[in-house]
């Protein structure tokens, strides 16, 4: 709202505005922590190794899980609590928050996705109020988490 109020009527968002949307991005990150859009991905072991007492031979396929990584209480105390302040300051430790993966095959669309998410949030919050048509709509996983009926809402313009 602070950024929206600083703009003249019809003035477009610019790159600096996006960089200033720290709280909105913390909220988006906390949503992606609790409901990661991608559940995980595969890796191939390039050497034999032992992890947590399990021997993994070279050549095996490994599946890393976004969902269970994001709910590890060692890194996210009270993991089921929605708390965007977890992302303040330097944020979570490396490789504990991985909605876009990690390492050389990390999602190349990450920055583009950030831009899109922040612009969408800005316009939705600034221009509309809304009401859910189905108050307790179920979330299904197919294969990504989504509202069962695609979240029908009523939109009300904020400005006359
Ligand atoms: C919220 C939005 C998005 C999420 C959560 C997401 C998540 C991911 C994840 C978890 C991976 C696997 C990374 C890994 O294996 O370490 C991935 C890969 C990939 N993503 Fe995204 N992504 C998003 C948006 C996008 C967008 C907007 C694009 C393109 C414009 C994109 C293009 C790709 C591509 C090409 C790969 C494969 C990279 C590779 O294997 O080298 N993604 N994404």
């Amino acid at each position: 709202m602070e950024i929206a109020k600083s703009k003249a009527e019809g003035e477009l968002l610019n790159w600096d505005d996006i960089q200033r949307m720290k709280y909105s991005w913390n909220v988006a990150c906390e949503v992606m922590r609790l409901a990661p859009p991608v559940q995980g991905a595969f890796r191939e072991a390039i050497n034999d190794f032992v992890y947590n007492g399990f021997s993994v031979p070279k050549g095996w396929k490994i599946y890393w899980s976004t969902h269970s990584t994001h709910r590890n209480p060692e890194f996210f105390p009270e993991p089921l609590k929605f708390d965007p302040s977890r992302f303040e300051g330097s944020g979570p430790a490396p490789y504990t928050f991985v909605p876009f993966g990690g390492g050389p095959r990390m999602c190349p669309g990450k920055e583009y996705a950030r831009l899109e998410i922040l612009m969408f949030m800005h316009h939705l919050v600034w221009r509309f109020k809304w009401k859910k048509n189905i108050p307790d709509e179920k979330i299904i996983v197919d294969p990504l988490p989504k509202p069962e009926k695609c979240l029908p809402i009523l939109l009300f313009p904020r400005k006359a």
Side-chain angles (χ1 to χ4, degrees):
M1 293 309 266
E2 196 181 307
I3 289 162
K5 282 179 187 157
S6 73
K7 311 295 278 182
E9 184 70 37
E11 192 184 343
L12 300 177
L13 286 175
N14 59 37
W15 185 243
D16 286 342
D17 297 325
I18 298 293
Q19 302 315 312
R20 285 167 57 215
M21 292 184 186
K22 294 195 188 315
Y23 179 72
S24 301
W25 186 237
N26 290 351
V27 170
C29 286
E30 183 65 342
V31 171
M32 288 192 285
R33 184 184 70 79
L34 280 168
V38 177
Q39 301 299 302
F42 290 95
R43 291 289 188 269
E44 185 176 321
I46 54 172
N47 287 308
D48 297 344
F49 68 92
V50 177
Y51 178 76
N52 243 358
F54 293 94
S55 298
V56 179
K58 179 179 172 182
W60 273 30
K61 292 280 187 298
I62 305 162
Y63 183 78
W64 60 265
S65 158
T66 324
H67 190 270
S68 46
T69 306
H70 287 180
R71 290 176 183 219
N72 183 341
E74 191 183 335
F75 300 108
F76 299 102
E78 293 188 75
L80 297 183
K81 186 174 163 200
F82 184 84
D83 179 8
S85 74
R86 300 175 194 276
F87 293 88
E88 283 170 6
S90 52
Y95 296 100
T96 60
F97 175 64
V98 284
F100 296 100
R105 301 303 292 263
M106 187 178 186
C107 176
K110 175 179 180 278
E111 283 305 309
Y112 179 62
R114 187 173 76 98
L115 186 67
E116 264 194 294
I117 291 167
L118 287 173
M119 285 177 58
F120 174 78
M121 282 169 81
H122 172 85
H123 288 293
L124 184 70
V125 170
W126 181 234
R127 289 169 194 258
F128 301 101
K129 285 178 188 275
W130 64 91
K131 198 171 152 213
K132 285 163 80 177
N133 284 7
I134 309 171
D136 299 316
E137 191 176 352
K138 211 171 135 189
I139 302 289
I140 56 165
V141 179
D142 178 30
L144 309 182
K146 61 168 193 173
E148 191 178 25
K149 306 284 183 199
C150 300
L151 193 67
I153 55 170
L154 284 172
L155 284 175
F156 305 95
R158 265 186 188 271
K159 287 183 259 177

Short mmCIF file of all heavy atoms in Angstrom, two decimals, residues 11-66:
data_model
loop_
_atom_site.label_atom_id
_atom_site.label_comp_id
_atom_site.label_asym_id
_atom_site.label_seq_id
_atom_site.Cartn_x
_atom_site.Cartn_y
_atom_site.Cartn_z
N GLU A 11 0.49 5.96 -13.05
CA GLU A 11 1.95 5.75 -13.10
C GLU A 11 2.27 4.26 -12.92
O GLU A 11 1.73 3.61 -12.03
CB GLU A 11 2.62 6.57 -11.98
CG GLU A 11 4.13 6.64 -12.11
CD GLU A 11 4.76 7.38 -10.91
OE1 GLU A 11 4.03 8.09 -10.17
OE2 GLU A 11 5.96 7.22 -10.72
N LEU A 12 3.15 3.74 -13.78
CA LEU A 12 3.43 2.31 -13.75
C LEU A 12 4.44 1.96 -12.66
O LEU A 12 5.22 2.82 -12.22
CB LEU A 12 3.97 1.86 -15.11
CG LEU A 12 3.06 2.08 -16.31
CD1 LEU A 12 3.76 1.65 -17.59
CD2 LEU A 12 1.75 1.33 -16.15
N LEU A 13 4.43 0.70 -12.25
CA LEU A 13 5.45 0.21 -11.33
C LEU A 13 6.78 0.18 -12.06
O LEU A 13 6.83 -0.09 -13.26
CB LEU A 13 5.13 -1.22 -10.89
CG LEU A 13 3.99 -1.43 -9.90
CD1 LEU A 13 3.76 -2.92 -9.71
CD2 LEU A 13 4.28 -0.75 -8.59
N ASN A 14 7.88 0.45 -11.35
CA ASN A 14 9.19 0.31 -11.98
C ASN A 14 10.06 -0.67 -11.17
O ASN A 14 9.63 -1.19 -10.14
CB ASN A 14 9.87 1.67 -12.14
CG ASN A 14 10.07 2.37 -10.82
OD1 ASN A 14 10.36 1.72 -9.81
ND2 ASN A 14 9.90 3.68 -10.80
N TRP A 15 11.26 -0.91 -11.65
CA TRP A 15 12.12 -1.92 -11.04
C TRP A 15 12.43 -1.60 -9.58
O TRP A 15 12.46 -2.49 -8.72
CB TRP A 15 13.41 -2.03 -11.87
CG TRP A 15 14.32 -3.11 -11.41
CD1 TRP A 15 15.57 -2.98 -10.91
CD2 TRP A 15 14.06 -4.54 -11.41
NE1 TRP A 15 16.10 -4.20 -10.58
CE2 TRP A 15 15.20 -5.18 -10.88
CE3 TRP A 15 12.95 -5.31 -11.79
CZ2 TRP A 15 15.28 -6.56 -10.73
CZ3 TRP A 15 13.04 -6.70 -11.64
CH2 TRP A 15 14.19 -7.29 -11.12
N ASP A 16 12.64 -0.28 -9.27
CA ASP A 16 12.93 0.10 -7.88
C ASP A 16 11.75 -0.24 -6.96
O ASP A 16 11.95 -0.66 -5.82
CB ASP A 16 13.23 1.61 -7.78
CG ASP A 16 14.60 1.93 -8.33
OD1 ASP A 16 15.40 0.98 -8.46
OD2 ASP A 16 14.85 3.10 -8.65
N ASP A 17 10.53 -0.02 -7.46
CA ASP A 17 9.35 -0.36 -6.64
C ASP A 17 9.38 -1.85 -6.30
O ASP A 17 9.11 -2.23 -5.16
CB ASP A 17 8.04 -0.05 -7.39
CG ASP A 17 7.89 1.42 -7.70
OD1 ASP A 17 8.32 2.23 -6.87
OD2 ASP A 17 7.34 1.75 -8.77
N ILE A 18 9.68 -2.67 -7.29
CA ILE A 18 9.70 -4.13 -7.07
C ILE A 18 10.73 -4.47 -5.98
O ILE A 18 10.46 -5.28 -5.09
CB ILE A 18 10.04 -4.87 -8.40
CG1 ILE A 18 8.97 -4.60 -9.46
CG2 ILE A 18 10.22 -6.37 -8.17
CD1 ILE A 18 7.60 -5.19 -9.17
N GLN A 19 11.90 -3.84 -6.05
CA GLN A 19 12.96 -4.12 -5.05
C GLN A 19 12.52 -3.71 -3.64
O GLN A 19 12.99 -4.28 -2.66
CB GLN A 19 14.27 -3.39 -5.39
CG GLN A 19 14.85 -3.73 -6.76
CD GLN A 19 14.83 -5.23 -7.05
OE1 GLN A 19 15.23 -6.04 -6.25
NE2 GLN A 19 14.34 -5.59 -8.23
N ARG A 20 11.63 -2.72 -3.57
CA ARG A 20 11.19 -2.25 -2.24
C ARG A 20 10.06 -3.11 -1.64
O ARG A 20 9.71 -2.91 -0.49
CB ARG A 20 10.70 -0.80 -2.35
CG ARG A 20 11.85 0.21 -2.49
CD ARG A 20 11.34 1.57 -2.92
NE ARG A 20 10.34 2.11 -2.02
CZ ARG A 20 9.29 2.86 -2.38
NH1 ARG A 20 9.09 3.14 -3.65
NH2 ARG A 20 8.46 3.33 -1.48
N MET A 21 9.51 -4.03 -2.41
CA MET A 21 8.35 -4.81 -1.92
C MET A 21 8.82 -5.98 -1.05
O MET A 21 8.49 -7.14 -1.30
CB MET A 21 7.52 -5.32 -3.10
CG MET A 21 6.83 -4.23 -3.86
SD MET A 21 5.80 -4.96 -5.14
CE MET A 21 5.27 -3.49 -5.98
N LYS A 22 9.58 -5.65 -0.01
CA LYS A 22 10.19 -6.72 0.80
C LYS A 22 9.14 -7.48 1.62
O LYS A 22 9.20 -8.71 1.71
CB LYS A 22 11.27 -6.13 1.72
CG LYS A 22 12.45 -5.58 0.92
CD LYS A 22 13.64 -5.34 1.79
CE LYS A 22 14.76 -4.60 1.05
NZ LYS A 22 15.04 -5.10 -0.28
N TYR A 23 8.20 -6.76 2.21
CA TYR A 23 7.21 -7.46 3.03
C TYR A 23 6.34 -8.37 2.15
O TYR A 23 6.09 -9.53 2.50
CB TYR A 23 6.34 -6.48 3.83
CG TYR A 23 5.31 -7.21 4.66
CD1 TYR A 23 5.71 -7.93 5.79
CD2 TYR A 23 3.97 -7.23 4.29
CE1 TYR A 23 4.78 -8.65 6.53
CE2 TYR A 23 3.04 -7.95 5.03
CZ TYR A 23 3.46 -8.65 6.14
OH TYR A 23 2.54 -9.38 6.86
N SER A 24 5.91 -7.85 0.98
CA SER A 24 5.07 -8.67 0.09
C SER A 24 5.82 -9.94 -0.31
O SER A 24 5.24 -11.03 -0.37
CB SER A 24 4.70 -7.89 -1.18
OG SER A 24 4.00 -6.73 -0.85
N TRP A 25 7.13 -9.80 -0.58
CA TRP A 25 7.90 -10.99 -0.99
C TRP A 25 8.05 -11.95 0.18
O TRP A 25 8.01 -13.18 0.00
CB TRP A 25 9.25 -10.58 -1.58
CG TRP A 25 10.01 -11.76 -2.13
CD1 TRP A 25 11.24 -12.18 -1.78
CD2 TRP A 25 9.56 -12.68 -3.16
NE1 TRP A 25 11.59 -13.31 -2.50
CE2 TRP A 25 10.58 -13.63 -3.35
CE3 TRP A 25 8.38 -12.79 -3.91
CZ2 TRP A 25 10.47 -14.68 -4.27
CZ3 TRP A 25 8.27 -13.85 -4.83
CH2 TRP A 25 9.30 -14.76 -5.01
N ASN A 26 8.19 -11.42 1.41
CA ASN A 26 8.25 -12.31 2.57
C ASN A 26 6.95 -13.11 2.71
O ASN A 26 6.97 -14.30 3.05
CB ASN A 26 8.49 -11.52 3.87
CG ASN A 26 9.89 -10.94 3.93
OD1 ASN A 26 10.73 -11.25 3.09
ND2 ASN A 26 10.14 -10.09 4.91
N VAL A 27 5.82 -12.44 2.44
CA VAL A 27 4.53 -13.13 2.50
C VAL A 27 4.48 -14.22 1.41
O VAL A 27 4.11 -15.38 1.68
CB VAL A 27 3.35 -12.14 2.32
CG1 VAL A 27 2.02 -12.88 2.14
CG2 VAL A 27 3.26 -11.20 3.51
N ALA A 28 4.90 -13.88 0.19
CA ALA A 28 4.88 -14.86 -0.91
C ALA A 28 5.80 -16.05 -0.57
O ALA A 28 5.45 -17.20 -0.83
CB ALA A 28 5.33 -14.20 -2.22
N CYS A 29 6.95 -15.76 0.04
CA CYS A 29 7.88 -16.84 0.40
C CYS A 29 7.27 -17.76 1.45
O CYS A 29 7.41 -18.98 1.37
CB CYS A 29 9.21 -16.27 0.91
SG CYS A 29 10.21 -15.60 -0.41
N GLU A 30 6.58 -17.15 2.42
CA GLU A 30 5.98 -17.98 3.48
C GLU A 30 4.86 -18.85 2.88
O GLU A 30 4.67 -19.99 3.31
CB GLU A 30 5.48 -17.09 4.62
CG GLU A 30 4.91 -17.83 5.81
CD GLU A 30 5.89 -18.71 6.61
OE1 GLU A 30 6.97 -19.05 6.09
OE2 GLU A 30 5.55 -19.09 7.74
N VAL A 31 4.13 -18.33 1.89
CA VAL A 31 3.12 -19.15 1.20
C VAL A 31 3.82 -20.30 0.47
O VAL A 31 3.40 -21.46 0.57
CB VAL A 31 2.30 -18.30 0.19
CG1 VAL A 31 1.42 -19.18 -0.67
CG2 VAL A 31 1.46 -17.25 0.93
N MET A 32 4.94 -20.00 -0.22
CA MET A 32 5.63 -21.06 -0.96
C MET A 32 6.33 -22.05 -0.02
O MET A 32 6.61 -23.18 -0.39
CB MET A 32 6.66 -20.46 -1.93
CG MET A 32 6.01 -19.78 -3.11
SD MET A 32 7.16 -19.36 -4.41
CE MET A 32 8.00 -17.96 -3.69
N ARG A 33 6.64 -21.60 1.20
CA ARG A 33 7.22 -22.55 2.17
C ARG A 33 6.15 -23.57 2.58
O ARG A 33 6.39 -24.77 2.54
CB ARG A 33 7.72 -21.81 3.43
CG ARG A 33 8.42 -22.74 4.42
CD ARG A 33 8.83 -22.03 5.69
NE ARG A 33 7.70 -21.65 6.53
CZ ARG A 33 7.04 -22.49 7.35
NH1 ARG A 33 7.41 -23.74 7.45
NH2 ARG A 33 6.02 -22.05 8.08
N LEU A 34 4.95 -23.07 2.93
CA LEU A 34 3.92 -23.98 3.43
C LEU A 34 3.20 -24.74 2.31
O LEU A 34 2.73 -25.85 2.53
CB LEU A 34 2.90 -23.19 4.26
CG LEU A 34 3.37 -22.90 5.68
CD1 LEU A 34 2.47 -21.88 6.34
CD2 LEU A 34 3.44 -24.17 6.51
N ALA A 35 3.10 -24.15 1.13
CA ALA A 35 2.41 -24.81 0.01
C ALA A 35 3.31 -24.70 -1.22
O ALA A 35 2.99 -23.97 -2.15
CB ALA A 35 1.05 -24.17 -0.23
N PRO A 36 4.46 -25.41 -1.24
CA PRO A 36 5.38 -25.24 -2.36
C PRO A 36 4.74 -25.66 -3.70
O PRO A 36 4.13 -26.73 -3.77
CB PRO A 36 6.56 -26.16 -2.01
CG PRO A 36 6.12 -27.02 -0.91
CD PRO A 36 4.94 -26.38 -0.25
N PRO A 37 4.81 -24.80 -4.73
CA PRO A 37 4.20 -25.15 -6.01
C PRO A 37 4.81 -26.41 -6.63
O PRO A 37 4.13 -27.15 -7.31
CB PRO A 37 4.47 -23.93 -6.90
CG PRO A 37 4.76 -22.81 -5.96
CD PRO A 37 5.38 -23.44 -4.74
N VAL A 38 6.12 -26.63 -6.41
CA VAL A 38 6.77 -27.83 -6.94
C VAL A 38 7.16 -28.70 -5.74
O VAL A 38 7.80 -28.22 -4.81
CB VAL A 38 8.01 -27.46 -7.80
CG1 VAL A 38 8.73 -28.72 -8.28
CG2 VAL A 38 7.60 -26.59 -8.98
N GLN A 39 6.76 -29.96 -5.77
CA GLN A 39 6.94 -30.84 -4.59
C GLN A 39 8.36 -31.35 -4.42
O GLN A 39 8.73 -31.83 -3.36
CB GLN A 39 5.98 -32.03 -4.68
CG GLN A 39 4.53 -31.62 -4.76
CD GLN A 39 4.09 -30.84 -3.53
OE1 GLN A 39 4.19 -31.33 -2.41
NE2 GLN A 39 3.63 -29.62 -3.71
N GLY A 40 9.18 -31.26 -5.47
CA GLY A 40 10.56 -31.74 -5.37
C GLY A 40 11.08 -32.06 -6.76
O GLY A 40 10.42 -31.75 -7.75
N ALA A 41 12.26 -32.69 -6.83
CA ALA A 41 12.81 -33.04 -8.15
C ALA A 41 13.84 -34.15 -7.94
O ALA A 41 14.13 -34.54 -6.81
CB ALA A 41 13.45 -31.82 -8.79
N PHE A 42 14.35 -34.68 -9.06
CA PHE A 42 15.29 -35.80 -8.98
C PHE A 42 16.72 -35.33 -9.15
O PHE A 42 17.00 -34.33 -9.82
CB PHE A 42 14.95 -36.82 -10.07
CG PHE A 42 13.67 -37.56 -9.79
CD1 PHE A 42 12.47 -37.13 -10.36
CD2 PHE A 42 13.66 -38.66 -8.95
CE1 PHE A 42 11.29 -37.79 -10.08
CE2 PHE A 42 12.48 -39.33 -8.68
CZ PHE A 42 11.29 -38.89 -9.25
N ARG A 43 17.62 -36.09 -8.54
CA ARG A 43 19.05 -35.92 -8.76
C ARG A 43 19.64 -37.31 -8.94
O ARG A 43 19.05 -38.30 -8.50
CB ARG A 43 19.73 -35.25 -7.54
CG ARG A 43 19.35 -33.79 -7.33
CD ARG A 43 19.96 -32.91 -8.40
NE ARG A 43 19.78 -31.49 -8.11
CZ ARG A 43 18.74 -30.76 -8.51
NH1 ARG A 43 17.77 -31.32 -9.21
NH2 ARG A 43 18.68 -29.47 -8.21
N GLU A 44 20.82 -37.39 -9.58
CA GLU A 44 21.51 -38.66 -9.71
C GLU A 44 22.77 -38.61 -8.86
O GLU A 44 23.53 -37.63 -8.94
CB GLU A 44 21.87 -38.89 -11.19
CG GLU A 44 22.48 -40.25 -11.43
CD GLU A 44 22.74 -40.51 -12.91
OE1 GLU A 44 21.88 -40.11 -13.75
OE2 GLU A 44 23.79 -41.07 -13.22
N ALA A 45 23.01 -39.65 -8.05
CA ALA A 45 24.23 -39.69 -7.22
C ALA A 45 25.43 -39.86 -8.15
O ALA A 45 25.47 -40.81 -8.94
CB ALA A 45 24.14 -40.83 -6.22
N ILE A 46 26.37 -38.94 -8.08
CA ILE A 46 27.55 -39.06 -8.96
C ILE A 46 28.70 -39.80 -8.26
O ILE A 46 29.70 -40.12 -8.89
CB ILE A 46 28.01 -37.67 -9.50
CG1 ILE A 46 28.25 -36.68 -8.35
CG2 ILE A 46 27.00 -37.10 -10.49
CD1 ILE A 46 28.89 -35.37 -8.82
N ASN A 47 28.53 -40.08 -6.96
CA ASN A 47 29.48 -40.90 -6.20
C ASN A 47 28.71 -41.73 -5.18
O ASN A 47 27.58 -41.38 -4.83
CB ASN A 47 30.47 -40.01 -5.43
CG ASN A 47 31.47 -39.35 -6.35
OD1 ASN A 47 32.12 -40.00 -7.16
ND2 ASN A 47 31.57 -38.03 -6.25
N ASP A 48 29.33 -42.81 -4.68
CA ASP A 48 28.75 -43.52 -3.54
C ASP A 48 28.81 -42.59 -2.33
O ASP A 48 29.81 -41.87 -2.17
CB ASP A 48 29.61 -44.76 -3.16
CG ASP A 48 29.65 -45.79 -4.28
OD1 ASP A 48 28.81 -45.72 -5.19
OD2 ASP A 48 30.55 -46.66 -4.22
N PHE A 49 27.78 -42.58 -1.49
CA PHE A 49 27.88 -41.83 -0.24
C PHE A 49 26.93 -42.40 0.80
O PHE A 49 26.03 -43.18 0.48
CB PHE A 49 27.63 -40.31 -0.45
CG PHE A 49 26.22 -39.96 -0.84
CD1 PHE A 49 25.27 -39.63 0.12
CD2 PHE A 49 25.86 -39.92 -2.17
CE1 PHE A 49 23.97 -39.28 -0.23
CE2 PHE A 49 24.55 -39.58 -2.54
CZ PHE A 49 23.62 -39.26 -1.58
N VAL A 50 27.18 -42.03 2.07
CA VAL A 50 26.32 -42.46 3.16
C VAL A 50 25.66 -41.21 3.74
O VAL A 50 26.34 -40.22 4.01
CB VAL A 50 27.13 -43.18 4.27
CG1 VAL A 50 26.23 -43.57 5.44
CG2 VAL A 50 27.83 -44.42 3.70
N TYR A 51 24.33 -41.22 3.86
CA TYR A 51 23.61 -40.09 4.44
C TYR A 51 22.66 -40.61 5.50
O TYR A 51 21.84 -41.49 5.22
CB TYR A 51 22.83 -39.33 3.35
CG TYR A 51 22.03 -38.17 3.89
CD1 TYR A 51 22.66 -36.98 4.26
CD2 TYR A 51 20.65 -38.28 4.08
CE1 TYR A 51 21.93 -35.94 4.79
CE2 TYR A 51 19.92 -37.23 4.60
CZ TYR A 51 20.57 -36.06 4.95
OH TYR A 51 19.85 -35.03 5.48
N ASN A 52 22.81 -40.10 6.72
CA ASN A 52 21.91 -40.50 7.82
C ASN A 52 21.88 -42.01 8.01
O ASN A 52 20.82 -42.58 8.26
CB ASN A 52 20.49 -40.01 7.52
CG ASN A 52 20.02 -39.02 8.54
OD1 ASN A 52 20.73 -38.71 9.49
ND2 ASN A 52 18.81 -38.50 8.33
N GLY A 53 23.00 -42.67 7.78
CA GLY A 53 23.06 -44.13 7.94
C GLY A 53 22.62 -44.92 6.72
O GLY A 53 22.69 -46.14 6.70
N PHE A 54 22.16 -44.24 5.66
CA PHE A 54 21.73 -44.93 4.44
C PHE A 54 22.83 -44.85 3.39
O PHE A 54 23.35 -43.76 3.11
CB PHE A 54 20.46 -44.29 3.86
CG PHE A 54 19.24 -44.47 4.74
CD1 PHE A 54 18.88 -43.49 5.66
CD2 PHE A 54 18.47 -45.62 4.64
CE1 PHE A 54 17.77 -43.65 6.47
CE2 PHE A 54 17.36 -45.80 5.45
CZ PHE A 54 17.01 -44.81 6.37
N SER A 55 23.19 -46.00 2.80
CA SER A 55 24.20 -46.01 1.74
C SER A 55 23.52 -45.76 0.41
O SER A 55 22.55 -46.44 0.06
CB SER A 55 24.88 -47.37 1.67
OG SER A 55 25.53 -47.62 2.88
N VAL A 56 24.02 -44.79 -0.33
CA VAL A 56 23.46 -44.49 -1.64
C VAL A 56 24.55 -44.75 -2.69
O VAL A 56 25.57 -44.06 -2.72
CB VAL A 56 22.97 -43.03 -1.73
CG1 VAL A 56 22.42 -42.71 -3.10
CG2 VAL A 56 21.92 -42.75 -0.67
N PRO A 57 24.35 -45.76 -3.54
CA PRO A 57 25.39 -46.07 -4.53
C PRO A 57 25.39 -45.08 -5.69
O PRO A 57 24.33 -44.50 -6.03
CB PRO A 57 25.01 -47.46 -5.04
CG PRO A 57 23.82 -47.90 -4.26
CD PRO A 57 23.22 -46.70 -3.60
N LYS A 58 26.52 -44.88 -6.28
CA LYS A 58 26.66 -44.03 -7.48
C LYS A 58 25.64 -44.48 -8.54
O LYS A 58 25.44 -45.67 -8.74
CB LYS A 58 28.09 -44.20 -8.01
CG LYS A 58 28.40 -43.42 -9.25
CD LYS A 58 29.83 -43.64 -9.66
CE LYS A 58 30.04 -42.97 -11.02
NZ LYS A 58 31.37 -43.16 -11.54
N GLY A 59 25.01 -43.53 -9.19
CA GLY A 59 24.08 -43.86 -10.27
C GLY A 59 22.62 -43.92 -9.82
O GLY A 59 21.71 -43.87 -10.65
N TRP A 60 22.36 -44.02 -8.51
CA TRP A 60 20.97 -44.06 -8.04
C TRP A 60 20.29 -42.71 -8.23
O TRP A 60 20.93 -41.67 -8.15
CB TRP A 60 20.94 -44.42 -6.55
CG TRP A 60 20.93 -45.90 -6.30
CD1 TRP A 60 21.49 -46.87 -7.09
CD2 TRP A 60 20.33 -46.59 -5.20
NE1 TRP A 60 21.30 -48.09 -6.56
CE2 TRP A 60 20.60 -47.97 -5.38
CE3 TRP A 60 19.63 -46.17 -4.07
CZ2 TRP A 60 20.15 -48.92 -4.48
CZ3 TRP A 60 19.19 -47.13 -3.16
CH2 TRP A 60 19.44 -48.50 -3.39
N LYS A 61 18.99 -42.81 -8.45
CA LYS A 61 18.19 -41.58 -8.53
C LYS A 61 17.70 -41.22 -7.13
O LYS A 61 17.26 -42.09 -6.40
CB LYS A 61 16.97 -41.77 -9.43
CG LYS A 61 17.29 -41.96 -10.90
CD LYS A 61 17.57 -40.65 -11.57
CE LYS A 61 17.72 -40.82 -13.07
NZ LYS A 61 18.85 -41.70 -13.43
N ILE A 62 17.77 -39.96 -6.80
CA ILE A 62 17.35 -39.47 -5.48
C ILE A 62 16.27 -38.42 -5.70
O ILE A 62 16.38 -37.61 -6.63
CB ILE A 62 18.53 -38.81 -4.75
CG1 ILE A 62 19.70 -39.77 -4.66
CG2 ILE A 62 18.13 -38.32 -3.37
CD1 ILE A 62 20.98 -39.05 -4.36
N TYR A 63 15.25 -38.45 -4.85
CA TYR A 63 14.20 -37.42 -4.93
C TYR A 63 14.32 -36.50 -3.72
O TYR A 63 14.28 -36.97 -2.58
CB TYR A 63 12.83 -38.11 -4.92
CG TYR A 63 11.68 -37.15 -5.06
CD1 TYR A 63 11.35 -36.63 -6.31
CD2 TYR A 63 10.92 -36.76 -3.97
CE1 TYR A 63 10.29 -35.75 -6.45
CE2 TYR A 63 9.86 -35.87 -4.09
CZ TYR A 63 9.56 -35.38 -5.35
OH TYR A 63 8.53 -34.50 -5.49
N TRP A 64 14.53 -35.23 -3.96
CA TRP A 64 14.56 -34.30 -2.82
C TRP A 64 13.17 -33.65 -2.72
O TRP A 64 12.57 -33.26 -3.73
CB TRP A 64 15.69 -33.26 -2.95
CG TRP A 64 15.63 -32.37 -4.16
CD1 TRP A 64 16.28 -32.57 -5.34
CD2 TRP A 64 14.89 -31.16 -4.31
NE1 TRP A 64 15.99 -31.57 -6.23
CE2 TRP A 64 15.14 -30.67 -5.61
CE3 TRP A 64 14.05 -30.42 -3.47
CZ2 TRP A 64 14.58 -29.49 -6.10
CZ3 TRP A 64 13.48 -29.24 -3.97
CH2 TRP A 64 13.75 -28.80 -5.26
N SER A 65 12.70 -33.51 -1.48
CA SER A 65 11.33 -33.04 -1.26
C SER A 65 11.29 -31.62 -0.72
O SER A 65 11.83 -31.35 0.36
CB SER A 65 10.64 -34.00 -0.29
OG SER A 65 9.55 -33.35 0.33
N THR A 66 10.67 -30.75 -1.47
CA THR A 66 10.49 -29.36 -1.03
C THR A 66 9.65 -29.33 0.24
O THR A 66 9.98 -28.67 1.22
CB THR A 66 9.74 -28.55 -2.11
OG1 THR A 66 10.14 -28.99 -3.38
CG2 THR A 66 9.99 -27.08 -1.97
#
